[in-house]
Amino acid sequence: MNMNSVFFSLIFSLQLVGCEEQREPAKEQSQPVTEKQVETVQTGLEAARRSFTTKLTHRGPAPQGYEEVLPPAGVTEVEYTSGGLKLKAWLSDNPGDGKKHPAVVYLHGGWSFSAVDWQDVTQFIDAGFVVMMPMLRGENGNPGYYEAFYGEVDDALAAGRFVADLPYVNPDQVFIAGHSVGAVLTTLVAMMPSNFQAAAALSGVLDMELWSATGEPAQFVFNTQDHEEVRVRNPMAFIDSLQIPVILFAEPVGMDQFSRAFHKEAILAGKSCELKIVPGDHTTMVAPSVRQVIQWFQDQIENDVVKTP
């Protein structure tokens, strides 16, 4: 899906509010911990979400149109359950070789799924991974309301459980990856208890406080002036909650500022986080990034970071 216009608009709006100024350097660990930092460390994203109920300012579908498309050969549309919602997903077919395969839940960019998104994941299938690409609540005619990076996290977690239960998937080798909007959700999922073993986020706006203050209003169906509404959706606010290894990919100009800032803070927090800058723009960086993600996931398996059959 071509999301260049969305994100070029975002970058321009960020520049207008001074985003090109140098970010405040991360505080050294020897400095006093602020009250806000203490709160983050003590609660974590899971606890923060458990004690919070979002109040949507608008209840409706995701803010992007879609067309009904049929899956290509080798792909089946399936239904998975998230809470009380029955949601659609595309799933690569059983390889039929009697083996248990590693799997990837891939979160598409933008706010709707199209057949073009599936092209981003064919490299995973060629490399022997089973791939599931979920359509989230409020997308593509799915039930539920669009919640702007909140309930969608639950949907991604549910997709991970679904694919892990497939008889031809090794449940100890399930990974998550995502591009753009999907990258933001991927980092939030990596901060929650799950069956995922590692995560890869491609070109995401990982600072929700900044994005919600400058992005298109239709993208944020919550009160962006409410600190807690923003915080529970903000990967930068819960870096200490990272529970699995994460690798970030970004293009050289534009979205790299978010990945660099996140990576810096994650390293200071002692988390397993890598950063790769790849050539291209927000769209063309996907294919070369996926090639590296495949190798990185395979390395996790070969190095016994995740279990083998």
Side-chain angles (χ1 to χ4, degrees), residues 95-167:
D97 55 8
K99 299 179 181 179
K100 288 186 177 291
H101 293 257
V104 178
V105 171
Y106 190 92
L107 305 179
H108 63 78
W111 293 273
S112 69
F113 167 83
S114 76
V116 175
D117 293 309
W118 190 256
Q119 297 175 10
D120 292 342
V121 303
T122 55
Q123 292 183 76
F124 285 113
I125 300 171
D126 294 340
F129 288 81
V130 172
V131 177
M132 178 179 180
M133 186 175 287
M135 299 169 220
L136 309 176
R137 62 187 59 200
E139 294 181 350
N140 295 75
N142 268 341
Y145 300 123
Y146 168 69
E147 296 186 12
F149 307 97
Y150 191 69
E152 293 84 358
V153 172
D154 294 323
D155 301 340
L157 292 167
R161 294 189 295 270
F162 177 95
V163 77
D165 286 339
L166 296 172

Side-chain angles (χ1 to χ4, degrees), residues 82-96:
S82 178
L85 302 175
K86 302 291 186 180
L87 306 175
K88 297 178 289 188
W90 278 16
L91 177 70
S92 61
D93 288 349
N94 184 344

Side-chain angles (χ1 to χ4, degrees), residues 110-236:
W111 293 273
S112 69
F113 167 83
S114 76
V116 175
D117 293 309
W118 190 256
Q119 297 175 10
D120 292 342
V121 303
T122 55
Q123 292 183 76
F124 285 113
I125 300 171
D126 294 340
F129 288 81
V130 172
V131 177
M132 178 179 180
M133 186 175 287
M135 299 169 220
L136 309 176
R137 62 187 59 200
E139 294 181 350
N140 295 75
N142 268 341
Y145 300 123
Y146 168 69
E147 296 186 12
F149 307 97
Y150 191 69
E152 293 84 358
V153 172
D154 294 323
D155 301 340
L157 292 167
R161 294 189 295 270
F162 177 95
V163 77
D165 286 339
L166 296 172
Y168 49 92
V169 166
N170 181 346
D172 296 319
Q173 296 178 356
V174 178
F175 302 90
I176 185 166
H179 171 240
S180 189
V181 168
V184 180
L185 291 170
T186 293
T187 56
L188 291 169
V189 168
M191 298 167 176
M192 296 286 290
S194 73
N195 62 317
F196 293 117
Q197 302 299 321
L202 284 58
S203 190
V205 184
L206 304 183
D207 188 338
M208 188 58 62
E209 184 174 346
L210 185 57
W211 189 9
S212 64
T214 58
E216 291 293 328
Q219 298 167 1
F220 306 102
V221 289
F222 56 90
N223 181 2
T224 58
Q225 302 302 310
D226 186 317
H227 168 73
E228 196 65 10
E229 288 279 9
V230 176
R231 191 176 78 101
V232 296
R233 294 169 166 90
N234 187 7
M236 286 296 295

